[in-house]
Amino acid sequence: MTVEIEVAFQTARGIYYLGDALEVLPGLDERSVDIVFTDPPFFMDDEGPYGNYGSYASALPHLHHVMKPDGWLLVYFPSNKLDLILRDTTVYFEYVDRFVVLYPQSTTKGAFGGKRTLELLVFKKGAPRTGGRMPIDVLDGIDDPLLARRGPRGSLWKPTLPTAILLGQVLAWDPDTVVLDPFAGYGSIPAVAEALGLRWIAIDIDPEKAAVARDIIATAGRARPIEAYFP
């Protein structure tokens, strides 16, 4: 059965699909994506529109299918899911590295209480290229001032500066790089891709979040040039 994919909105550089990622991903072209960069909402708890952690695991073969032979997978996650994400993701992708994002704006769940940090795991498929190196493995969880102006507060909105550093300085070495966020939510990751002039694909099941993302990404199109992120 063919699933009709609804387009929430699009720009000259990207497109935001409204629907369940597990239904939309099979409709994307094989080997068409360079970087998958995402923040699955179900890592915060076991409730929500996608159900539970199993939705991320179910998406992995589709992500491998749409990624080019050489590509990157980056995932924000809380440390209490580390065993699961490493177990399931390494079936399809090779583990590369881990970054810590200082995130004082919000508290995530930890085994011994609240945490003011985010984890960012990096995996790869094949032998993807990089455009630079990270000087440090701890990143400040802050926003570009223009993007932050419309971004919602709290853990559902991921800070844009760490994403911008990784996409703009390290991973996305070509302006035709295609970035996919299959659980895009309010659009913090595609907003950065838009601001940096990269191509992007976003997916989310929630029409209210997609509406907010439309406004945020419209703002991102007028954000500062890439050089302003890296003085």
Short mmCIF file of all heavy atoms in Angstrom, two decimals, residues 91-137:
data_model
loop_
_atom_site.label_atom_id
_atom_site.label_comp_id
_atom_site.label_asym_id
_atom_site.label_seq_id
_atom_site.Cartn_x
_atom_site.Cartn_y
_atom_site.Cartn_z
N VAL A 91 24.07 -1.96 15.04
CA VAL A 91 23.69 -3.00 14.07
C VAL A 91 23.81 -2.46 12.65
O VAL A 91 24.16 -3.19 11.71
CB VAL A 91 22.26 -3.50 14.34
CG1 VAL A 91 21.81 -4.46 13.25
CG2 VAL A 91 22.17 -4.16 15.71
N TYR A 92 23.55 -1.15 12.48
CA TYR A 92 23.51 -0.54 11.16
C TYR A 92 24.62 0.48 10.91
O TYR A 92 24.98 0.74 9.76
CB TYR A 92 22.16 0.16 10.96
CG TYR A 92 20.98 -0.78 11.06
CD1 TYR A 92 20.30 -0.93 12.27
CD2 TYR A 92 20.56 -1.51 9.97
CE1 TYR A 92 19.22 -1.80 12.37
CE2 TYR A 92 19.49 -2.39 10.05
CZ TYR A 92 18.83 -2.52 11.26
OH TYR A 92 17.77 -3.39 11.36
N PHE A 93 25.14 1.08 11.98
CA PHE A 93 26.13 2.14 11.86
C PHE A 93 27.30 1.88 12.81
O PHE A 93 27.14 1.22 13.84
CB PHE A 93 25.50 3.51 12.18
CG PHE A 93 24.36 3.89 11.30
CD1 PHE A 93 23.05 3.57 11.67
CD2 PHE A 93 24.57 4.56 10.11
CE1 PHE A 93 21.98 3.91 10.86
CE2 PHE A 93 23.50 4.90 9.30
CZ PHE A 93 22.21 4.57 9.66
N GLU A 94 28.45 2.43 12.49
CA GLU A 94 29.64 2.29 13.33
C GLU A 94 29.74 3.47 14.30
O GLU A 94 29.63 4.63 13.90
CB GLU A 94 30.89 2.24 12.45
CG GLU A 94 32.18 2.12 13.23
CD GLU A 94 33.41 2.15 12.34
OE1 GLU A 94 33.25 2.02 11.10
OE2 GLU A 94 34.52 2.34 12.87
N TYR A 95 29.95 3.17 15.57
CA TYR A 95 30.11 4.22 16.57
C TYR A 95 31.43 4.95 16.36
O TYR A 95 32.47 4.34 16.12
CB TYR A 95 30.08 3.62 17.98
CG TYR A 95 30.44 4.61 19.07
CD1 TYR A 95 29.56 5.61 19.43
CD2 TYR A 95 31.67 4.54 19.71
CE1 TYR A 95 29.88 6.53 20.43
CE2 TYR A 95 32.00 5.45 20.70
CZ TYR A 95 31.11 6.45 21.05
OH TYR A 95 31.44 7.35 22.02
N VAL A 96 31.39 6.31 16.46
CA VAL A 96 32.58 7.13 16.22
C VAL A 96 33.01 7.90 17.46
O VAL A 96 34.16 7.83 17.88
CB VAL A 96 32.33 8.12 15.06
CG1 VAL A 96 33.54 9.02 14.87
CG2 VAL A 96 32.00 7.38 13.78
N ASP A 97 32.07 8.64 18.06
CA ASP A 97 32.48 9.53 19.15
C ASP A 97 31.25 10.01 19.91
O ASP A 97 30.11 9.75 19.51
CB ASP A 97 33.25 10.73 18.60
CG ASP A 97 34.26 11.30 19.60
OD1 ASP A 97 34.14 10.99 20.80
OD2 ASP A 97 35.16 12.04 19.17
N ARG A 98 31.52 10.76 20.99
CA ARG A 98 30.47 11.28 21.85
C ARG A 98 30.84 12.69 22.29
O ARG A 98 31.98 12.97 22.63
CB ARG A 98 30.31 10.37 23.06
CG ARG A 98 29.55 10.94 24.25
CD ARG A 98 29.55 9.93 25.37
NE ARG A 98 29.12 10.52 26.64
CZ ARG A 98 29.95 11.08 27.51
NH1 ARG A 98 31.25 11.15 27.23
NH2 ARG A 98 29.50 11.59 28.65
N PHE A 99 29.85 13.60 22.28
CA PHE A 99 30.03 14.95 22.78
C PHE A 99 29.08 15.19 23.95
O PHE A 99 28.01 14.57 24.03
CB PHE A 99 29.75 15.99 21.68
CG PHE A 99 30.71 15.92 20.52
CD1 PHE A 99 30.35 15.25 19.35
CD2 PHE A 99 31.96 16.50 20.60
CE1 PHE A 99 31.22 15.17 18.29
CE2 PHE A 99 32.84 16.43 19.53
CZ PHE A 99 32.48 15.77 18.38
N VAL A 100 29.48 16.09 24.82
CA VAL A 100 28.63 16.53 25.92
C VAL A 100 28.24 17.97 25.67
O VAL A 100 29.09 18.82 25.37
CB VAL A 100 29.35 16.40 27.28
CG1 VAL A 100 28.49 16.97 28.40
CG2 VAL A 100 29.69 14.94 27.56
N VAL A 101 26.93 18.26 25.77
CA VAL A 101 26.42 19.61 25.59
C VAL A 101 25.94 20.13 26.94
O VAL A 101 25.07 19.54 27.57
CB VAL A 101 25.26 19.63 24.57
CG1 VAL A 101 24.71 21.05 24.42
CG2 VAL A 101 25.71 19.09 23.23
N LEU A 102 26.52 21.23 27.39
CA LEU A 102 26.08 21.87 28.63
C LEU A 102 24.76 22.57 28.35
O LEU A 102 24.67 23.43 27.48
CB LEU A 102 27.13 22.88 29.11
CG LEU A 102 28.53 22.32 29.33
CD1 LEU A 102 29.48 23.44 29.75
CD2 LEU A 102 28.53 21.21 30.36
N TYR A 103 23.72 22.21 29.10
CA TYR A 103 22.36 22.65 28.76
C TYR A 103 21.63 23.11 30.02
O TYR A 103 20.74 22.42 30.53
CB TYR A 103 21.62 21.49 28.09
CG TYR A 103 20.34 21.85 27.42
CD1 TYR A 103 20.21 23.05 26.71
CD2 TYR A 103 19.25 21.00 27.45
CE1 TYR A 103 19.03 23.37 26.06
CE2 TYR A 103 18.06 21.31 26.81
CZ TYR A 103 17.97 22.50 26.12
OH TYR A 103 16.80 22.82 25.49
N PRO A 104 21.98 24.29 30.56
CA PRO A 104 21.38 24.75 31.82
C PRO A 104 19.92 25.15 31.70
O PRO A 104 19.24 25.29 32.71
CB PRO A 104 22.25 25.96 32.18
CG PRO A 104 22.77 26.46 30.87
CD PRO A 104 22.98 25.23 30.04
N GLN A 105 19.41 25.30 30.46
CA GLN A 105 18.02 25.75 30.29
C GLN A 105 17.01 24.70 30.71
O GLN A 105 15.84 25.00 30.92
CB GLN A 105 17.76 26.13 28.82
CG GLN A 105 18.64 27.25 28.31
CD GLN A 105 19.85 26.71 27.57
OE1 GLN A 105 20.44 25.72 27.98
NE2 GLN A 105 20.22 27.35 26.47
N SER A 106 17.42 23.44 30.79
CA SER A 106 16.45 22.38 31.05
C SER A 106 17.11 21.26 31.83
O SER A 106 18.33 21.16 31.91
CB SER A 106 15.89 21.84 29.73
OG SER A 106 14.92 20.85 29.96
N THR A 107 16.28 20.40 32.42
CA THR A 107 16.77 19.26 33.19
C THR A 107 16.25 17.97 32.56
O THR A 107 15.06 17.84 32.31
CB THR A 107 16.29 19.33 34.66
OG1 THR A 107 16.75 20.55 35.24
CG2 THR A 107 16.84 18.16 35.45
N THR A 108 17.16 17.04 32.29
CA THR A 108 16.76 15.73 31.80
C THR A 108 16.89 14.71 32.92
O THR A 108 17.52 14.96 33.94
CB THR A 108 17.63 15.30 30.60
OG1 THR A 108 19.00 15.29 31.01
CG2 THR A 108 17.47 16.27 29.45
N LYS A 109 16.29 13.55 32.71
CA LYS A 109 16.27 12.53 33.75
C LYS A 109 17.57 11.75 33.79
O LYS A 109 18.09 11.34 32.76
CB LYS A 109 15.10 11.56 33.50
CG LYS A 109 13.73 12.20 33.60
CD LYS A 109 12.64 11.18 33.29
CE LYS A 109 11.26 11.81 33.35
NZ LYS A 109 10.19 10.84 33.01
N GLY A 110 18.08 11.53 35.00
CA GLY A 110 19.25 10.70 35.20
C GLY A 110 18.99 9.69 36.30
O GLY A 110 18.01 9.79 37.04
N ALA A 111 19.87 8.71 36.43
CA ALA A 111 19.66 7.66 37.43
C ALA A 111 19.67 8.20 38.85
O ALA A 111 19.01 7.67 39.74
CB ALA A 111 20.73 6.59 37.26
N PHE A 112 20.43 9.29 39.08
CA PHE A 112 20.55 9.84 40.43
C PHE A 112 19.96 11.25 40.53
O PHE A 112 20.32 12.01 41.42
CB PHE A 112 22.03 9.86 40.83
CG PHE A 112 22.65 8.50 40.84
CD1 PHE A 112 23.45 8.08 39.80
CD2 PHE A 112 22.40 7.60 41.87
CE1 PHE A 112 24.01 6.81 39.78
CE2 PHE A 112 22.95 6.33 41.87
CZ PHE A 112 23.75 5.93 40.82
N GLY A 113 19.06 11.60 39.61
CA GLY A 113 18.42 12.91 39.67
C GLY A 113 18.51 13.64 38.35
O GLY A 113 18.87 13.07 37.32
N GLY A 114 18.17 14.94 38.39
CA GLY A 114 18.17 15.73 37.18
C GLY A 114 19.57 16.02 36.66
O GLY A 114 20.54 16.09 37.41
N LYS A 115 19.68 16.17 35.32
CA LYS A 115 20.95 16.45 34.68
C LYS A 115 20.82 17.71 33.84
O LYS A 115 19.80 17.93 33.19
CB LYS A 115 21.39 15.28 33.80
CG LYS A 115 21.51 13.96 34.54
CD LYS A 115 22.07 12.88 33.64
CE LYS A 115 23.50 13.17 33.29
NZ LYS A 115 24.12 12.04 32.56
N ARG A 116 21.86 18.52 33.83
CA ARG A 116 21.88 19.74 33.03
C ARG A 116 22.85 19.59 31.86
O ARG A 116 23.48 20.56 31.44
CB ARG A 116 22.27 20.93 33.91
CG ARG A 116 21.23 21.27 34.99
CD ARG A 116 19.89 21.65 34.36
NE ARG A 116 18.86 21.93 35.36
CZ ARG A 116 18.60 23.15 35.82
NH1 ARG A 116 19.27 24.18 35.37
NH2 ARG A 116 17.64 23.32 36.71
N THR A 117 22.95 18.39 31.35
CA THR A 117 23.78 18.13 30.17
C THR A 117 23.00 17.25 29.19
O THR A 117 22.08 16.54 29.57
CB THR A 117 25.09 17.41 30.53
OG1 THR A 117 24.79 16.16 31.16
CG2 THR A 117 25.95 18.27 31.44
N LEU A 118 23.40 17.32 27.95
CA LEU A 118 22.88 16.44 26.90
C LEU A 118 24.03 15.65 26.33
O LEU A 118 25.18 16.11 26.33
CB LEU A 118 22.24 17.27 25.77
CG LEU A 118 20.99 18.07 26.08
CD1 LEU A 118 20.67 18.97 24.90
CD2 LEU A 118 19.83 17.15 26.37
N GLU A 119 23.74 14.47 25.88
CA GLU A 119 24.74 13.65 25.20
C GLU A 119 24.45 13.71 23.70
O GLU A 119 23.29 13.77 23.27
CB GLU A 119 24.66 12.19 25.66
CG GLU A 119 24.63 12.01 27.17
CD GLU A 119 25.94 12.32 27.84
OE1 GLU A 119 26.97 12.25 27.15
OE2 GLU A 119 25.93 12.62 29.04
N LEU A 120 25.51 13.70 22.91
CA LEU A 120 25.37 13.68 21.45
C LEU A 120 26.29 12.61 20.91
O LEU A 120 27.52 12.73 20.98
CB LEU A 120 25.73 15.05 20.86
CG LEU A 120 25.64 15.19 19.34
CD1 LEU A 120 24.23 14.88 18.84
CD2 LEU A 120 26.04 16.60 18.92
N LEU A 121 25.69 11.52 20.42
CA LEU A 121 26.47 10.41 19.89
C LEU A 121 26.63 10.55 18.38
O LEU A 121 25.71 10.97 17.68
CB LEU A 121 25.79 9.08 20.19
CG LEU A 121 25.91 8.52 21.61
CD1 LEU A 121 25.28 7.14 21.68
CD2 LEU A 121 27.35 8.47 22.07
N VAL A 122 27.81 10.17 17.89
CA VAL A 122 28.13 10.25 16.47
C VAL A 122 28.42 8.85 15.95
O VAL A 122 29.25 8.13 16.51
CB VAL A 122 29.35 11.15 16.22
CG1 VAL A 122 29.62 11.27 14.71
CG2 VAL A 122 29.14 12.53 16.84
N PHE A 123 27.71 8.48 14.89
CA PHE A 123 27.91 7.20 14.20
C PHE A 123 28.19 7.49 12.73
O PHE A 123 27.96 8.60 12.25
CB PHE A 123 26.66 6.32 14.30
CG PHE A 123 26.24 6.00 15.70
CD1 PHE A 123 25.38 6.86 16.39
CD2 PHE A 123 26.66 4.85 16.34
CE1 PHE A 123 24.97 6.58 17.69
CE2 PHE A 123 26.26 4.56 17.63
CZ PHE A 123 25.41 5.41 18.31
N LYS A 124 28.69 6.49 12.02
CA LYS A 124 28.94 6.68 10.60
C LYS A 124 28.58 5.44 9.81
O LYS A 124 28.50 4.33 10.34
CB LYS A 124 30.41 7.05 10.34
CG LYS A 124 31.39 5.92 10.59
CD LYS A 124 32.81 6.35 10.26
CE LYS A 124 33.80 5.20 10.47
NZ LYS A 124 35.19 5.60 10.11
N LYS A 125 28.37 5.67 8.52
CA LYS A 125 28.20 4.60 7.54
C LYS A 125 29.29 4.79 6.50
O LYS A 125 29.44 5.89 5.95
CB LYS A 125 26.82 4.69 6.89
CG LYS A 125 26.58 3.70 5.75
CD LYS A 125 25.22 3.94 5.11
CE LYS A 125 24.97 3.04 3.92
NZ LYS A 125 23.66 3.32 3.27
N GLY A 126 30.07 3.76 6.23
CA GLY A 126 31.15 3.89 5.27
C GLY A 126 32.27 4.77 5.80
O GLY A 126 32.64 4.70 6.97
N ALA A 127 32.80 5.64 4.91
CA ALA A 127 33.92 6.51 5.27
C ALA A 127 33.61 7.95 4.88
O ALA A 127 34.18 8.47 3.91
CB ALA A 127 35.20 6.03 4.59
N PRO A 128 32.70 8.61 5.60
CA PRO A 128 32.32 9.98 5.25
C PRO A 128 33.46 10.96 5.49
O PRO A 128 34.29 10.79 6.38
CB PRO A 128 31.14 10.27 6.18
CG PRO A 128 31.37 9.38 7.37
CD PRO A 128 31.99 8.13 6.80
N ARG A 129 33.46 12.03 4.70
CA ARG A 129 34.47 13.08 4.83
C ARG A 129 34.07 14.07 5.92
O ARG A 129 32.91 14.16 6.31
CB ARG A 129 34.62 13.83 3.51
CG ARG A 129 35.22 13.01 2.39
CD ARG A 129 35.23 13.80 1.09
NE ARG A 129 35.92 15.08 1.22
CZ ARG A 129 35.99 15.99 0.25
NH1 ARG A 129 35.36 15.77 -0.90
NH2 ARG A 129 36.65 17.10 0.43
N THR A 130 35.05 14.81 6.39
CA THR A 130 34.79 15.92 7.30
C THR A 130 35.44 17.18 6.74
O THR A 130 36.38 17.12 5.96
CB THR A 130 35.36 15.65 8.70
OG1 THR A 130 36.79 15.51 8.62
CG2 THR A 130 34.76 14.39 9.30
N GLY A 131 34.92 18.32 7.19
CA GLY A 131 35.48 19.59 6.75
C GLY A 131 36.38 20.23 7.78
O GLY A 131 36.93 21.30 7.56
N GLY A 132 36.54 19.60 8.94
CA GLY A 132 37.36 20.18 9.99
C GLY A 132 37.37 19.28 11.21
O GLY A 132 36.83 18.18 11.19
N ARG A 133 37.96 19.78 12.29
CA ARG A 133 38.06 19.01 13.52
C ARG A 133 37.47 19.81 14.67
O ARG A 133 37.49 21.04 14.66
CB ARG A 133 39.51 18.65 13.83
CG ARG A 133 40.16 17.78 12.77
CD ARG A 133 41.57 17.38 13.19
NE ARG A 133 41.57 16.58 14.41
CZ ARG A 133 41.40 15.27 14.42
NH1 ARG A 133 41.19 14.60 13.31
NH2 ARG A 133 41.44 14.61 15.56
N MET A 134 36.96 19.11 15.69
CA MET A 134 36.42 19.76 16.87
C MET A 134 37.57 20.05 17.84
O MET A 134 38.35 19.16 18.16
CB MET A 134 35.40 18.85 17.56
CG MET A 134 34.12 18.68 16.78
SD MET A 134 33.14 20.18 16.74
CE MET A 134 32.63 20.27 18.45
N PRO A 135 37.68 21.30 18.33
CA PRO A 135 38.76 21.60 19.27
C PRO A 135 38.51 21.06 20.67
O PRO A 135 39.43 20.98 21.48
CB PRO A 135 38.78 23.14 19.27
CG PRO A 135 37.37 23.52 18.94
CD PRO A 135 36.89 22.47 17.97
N ILE A 136 37.27 20.69 20.98
CA ILE A 136 36.91 20.26 22.33
C ILE A 136 35.67 19.39 22.25
O ILE A 136 34.88 19.49 21.30
CB ILE A 136 36.66 21.48 23.24
CG1 ILE A 136 36.60 21.07 24.71
CG2 ILE A 136 35.42 22.24 22.81
CD1 ILE A 136 36.59 22.25 25.67
N ASP A 137 35.49 18.48 23.23
CA ASP A 137 34.34 17.57 23.18
C ASP A 137 33.20 18.01 24.08
O ASP A 137 32.22 17.28 24.25
CB ASP A 137 34.77 16.14 23.54
CG ASP A 137 35.28 16.01 24.96
OD1 ASP A 137 35.48 17.05 25.62
OD2 ASP A 137 35.50 14.87 25.41
#
